[in-house]
């Protein structure tokens, strides 16, 4: 059986390859642990000047986390999801703070946890095949792995559209959202990697950078997502004659309502400190295990695959606001810390 993470040294380059192509390189706990330990080792290695990450196979970098395992944990309560998120979120923080160039090849599908291991890096490359996004509201969850932090820093309307609809985006829109930096044609990635073995990241990337085809997030109708009231957003979209606006109407009618409320609140609370925002997301993730919509969303998407989730619109005794707020409550004795990142890095924030 081949390793699920491949690590190799190529000259001055440390290369990490996610190696679960049949699962579209979906992350599990062991993969995140190896990923984190490798980055920590290379962080102190004078022979490694820069790091790159890519996905095995032809379909993409990473489709996210292993949500089937999360579904099993919701049913059996083994604590495996908590362990997974605890390691994954520390990995996201490490990537964001990495002292060496971190080059993410965001080719093909890059969703959810795939954004977490790429968009926090210093050099994020997209191609003509890139489909990037945080689609978690479609399965009863929210954009985690620092997704609320990233999308809160995007232009407001575009970031809220991405977060609340779970839409995926091509290269130009991923760059506009701040999830990526540079467009490079897919056919040039292999040569780019070769040159990273002996040249600095920025000079290599500059040599291959091109302009992507235009996306749609710059279009005027997108600004409706700047409206504070979500009902106003929906009503305004309904009155638009732009086909893509109508597509967003249909999307908002199918995604999980409780996830939309929670996501909007997490984006509102997000700030400039990724560590603090990851701590907040960690709280929300663990509390979300107890909300019936999360299990139902996964069931409909990947267990029974009927694509017809039955969302719980109302929990007796809780308003929408109260249901949202209970996801933000403290986790006594279980808060996310950053101990795995090493004693040399002080924890910068606590909720």
């Amino acid at each position: 059986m081949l390793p699920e993470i491949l690590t190799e040294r190529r000259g001055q380059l440390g290369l990490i390859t996610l190696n679960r192509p049949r699962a579209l390189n979906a992350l599990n706990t062991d993969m995140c642990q190896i990923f984190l330990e490798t980055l920590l080792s290379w962080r102190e290695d004078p022979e490694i000047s820069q790091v790159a990450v890519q996905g095995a196979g032809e379909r993409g970098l990473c489709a996210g986390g292993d949500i089937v395992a999360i579904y099993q944990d919701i049913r059996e309560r083994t604590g495996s999801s908590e362990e997974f998120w605890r390691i994954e979120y520390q990995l996201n923080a490490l990537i964001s703070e990495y002292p060496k160039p971190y080059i993410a090849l965001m080719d093909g599908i890059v969703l959810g946890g795939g954004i977490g291991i790429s968009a926090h890096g210093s050099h994020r490359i997209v191609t003509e095949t890139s489909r990037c996004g945080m689609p978690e509201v479609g399965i009863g969850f929210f954009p985690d792995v620092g997704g609320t932090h990233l999308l809160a820093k995007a232009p407001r309307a575009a970031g809220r559209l991405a977060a609340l609809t779970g839409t995926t985006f091509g290269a130009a829109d991923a760059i506009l959202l701040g999830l990526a930096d540079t467009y490079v044609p897919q056919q040039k990635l292999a040569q780019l990697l070769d040159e990273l073995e002996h040249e600095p990241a920025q000079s290599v990337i500059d040599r291959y950078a091109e302009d992507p085809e235009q996306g749609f997030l710059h279009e005027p109708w997108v600004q409706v997502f700047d409206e504070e009231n979500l009902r106003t957003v929906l009503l305004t979209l309904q009155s638009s004659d732009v086909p893509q606006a109508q597509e967003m109407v249909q999307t908002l009618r199918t995604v999980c309502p409780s996830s939309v409320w929670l996501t909007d609140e997490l984006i509102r609370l997000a700030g400039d400190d990724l560590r603090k925002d990851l701590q907040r997301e960690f709280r929300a993730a663990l509390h979300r295990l107890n909300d019936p919509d999360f299990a139902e969303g996964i069931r409909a998407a990947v267990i029974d695959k009927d694509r017809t989730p039955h969302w719980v619109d109302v929990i007796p005794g809780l308003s929408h606001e109260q249901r949202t707020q209970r996801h933000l409550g403290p986790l006594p004795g279980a808060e996310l810390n950053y101990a795995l990142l090493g004693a040399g890095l002080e924890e910068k924030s606590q909720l």
Side-chain angles (χ1 to χ4, degrees):
M1 183 176 179
L2 293 175
E4 295 178 330
I5 287 267
L6 304 175
T7 63
E8 55 184 313
R9 296 165 177 266
R10 295 186 180 181
Q12 67 172 0
L13 178 69
L15 179 62
I16 296 174
T17 303
L18 306 186
N19 193 39
R20 293 183 71 197
R22 290 186 178 180
L24 227 170
N25 300 316
L27 295 167
N28 57 36
T29 303
D30 289 343
M31 292 170 71
C32 289
Q33 184 72 49
I34 294 169
F35 203 143
L36 187 145
E37 290 173 355
T38 300
L39 287 182
L40 288 175
S41 173
W42 287 348
R43 185 179 67 181
E44 311 302 330
D45 191 330
E47 295 183 359
I48 298 292
S49 299
Q50 49 204 25
V51 172
V53 59
Q54 65 177 353
E58 300 178 352
R59 297 173 61 197
L61 172 64
C62 176
D66 188 343
I67 59 175
V68 173
I70 294 174
Y71 183 79
Q72 293 171 342
D73 184 42
I74 291 174
R75 295 169 64 87
E76 300 171 8
R77 295 309 172 100
T78 64
S80 61
S81 297
E82 177 179 347
E83 180 187 13
F84 170 62
W85 286 323
R86 193 176 295 278
I87 297 171
E88 183 184 30
Y89 291 9
Q90 290 184 77
L91 173 60
N92 302 147
L94 176 60
I95 290 169
S96 176
E97 300 167 2
Y98 211 62
K100 300 176 180 180
Y102 179 99
I103 306 103
L105 304 186
M106 302 171 69
D107 188 37
I109 294 174
V110 189
L111 303 175
I115 294 291
I117 60 162
S118 57
H120 295 300
S122 59
H123 299 75
R124 295 96 41 100
I125 297 171
V126 282
T127 74
E128 70 274 17
T129 73
S130 294
R131 300 303 300 169
C132 306
M134 303 293 293
E136 288 82 358
V137 290
I139 59 165
F141 199 51
F142 63 90
D144 68 328
V145 297
T148 61
H149 174 88
L150 291 164
L151 295 178
K153 294 169 75 68
R156 175 176 160 81
R160 286 182 88 221
L161 183 155
L164 303 182
T165 68
T167 301
T168 58
F169 303 94
D173 285 335
I175 293 171
L176 184 149
L177 286 166
L179 303 179
D181 308 296
T182 308
Y183 171 81
V184 174
Q186 183 189 52
Q187 65 179 8
K188 297 184 178 180
L189 291 184
Q191 188 174 351
L192 181 146
L193 265 183
D194 287 343
E195 295 183 13
L196 287 173
E197 295 178 16
H198 51 81
E199 290 188 60
Q202 195 60 60
S203 62
V204 174
I205 293 170
D206 286 346
R207 191 154 57 243
Y208 287 97
E210 297 185 16
D211 294 325
E213 291 187 11
Q214 197 169 55
F216 71 88
L217 286 179
H218 65 284
E219 295 177 4
W221 68 268
V222 171
Q223 294 306 309
V224 65
F225 281 88
D226 202 29
E227 290 281 350
E228 192 71 32
N229 190 296
L230 295 178
R231 293 184 179 87
T232 301
V233 171
L234 184 59
L235 289 172
T236 307
L237 287 173
Q238 287 174 334
S239 65
S240 173
D241 58 2
V242 177
Q244 282 180 311
Q246 294 307 310
E247 290 177 14
M248 294 302 143
V249 171
Q250 295 306 313
T251 298
L252 287 169
R253 286 174 173 167
T254 58
V255 298
C256 178
S258 66
S259 289
V260 170
W261 287 94
L262 175 59
T263 298
D264 206 35
E265 179 67 4
L266 288 169
I267 287 179
R268 187 187 70 81
L269 293 171
D272 294 327
D273 189 331
L274 174 61
R275 286 192 173 201
K276 186 172 181 178
D277 290 342
L278 283 167
Q279 288 173 327
R280 185 181 299 108
E281 289 181 359
F282 186 74
R283 287 182 175 181
L286 292 193
H287 287 305
R288 194 67 181 167
L289 294 172
N290 298 314
D291 193 291
D293 278 345
F294 192 16
E296 173 62 10
I298 300 175
R299 179 206 65 77
V302 298
I303 305 300
D304 297 334
K305 299 182 181 179
D306 57 30
R307 307 293 177 182
T308 56
H310 302 287
W311 306 123
V312 177
D313 292 332
V314 177
I315 292 181
L318 291 178
S319 66
H320 286 304
E321 291 78 10
Q322 290 170 328
R323 185 177 180 183
T324 296
Q325 289 302 314
R326 74 175 186 171
H327 288 81
L328 306 178
L331 301 167
E335 300 283 5
L336 176 66
N337 61 57
Y338 297 94
L340 295 179
L341 303 192
L345 291 178
E346 296 182 359
E347 291 184 24
K348 299 192 298 183
S349 57
Q350 293 288 338
L351 291 176

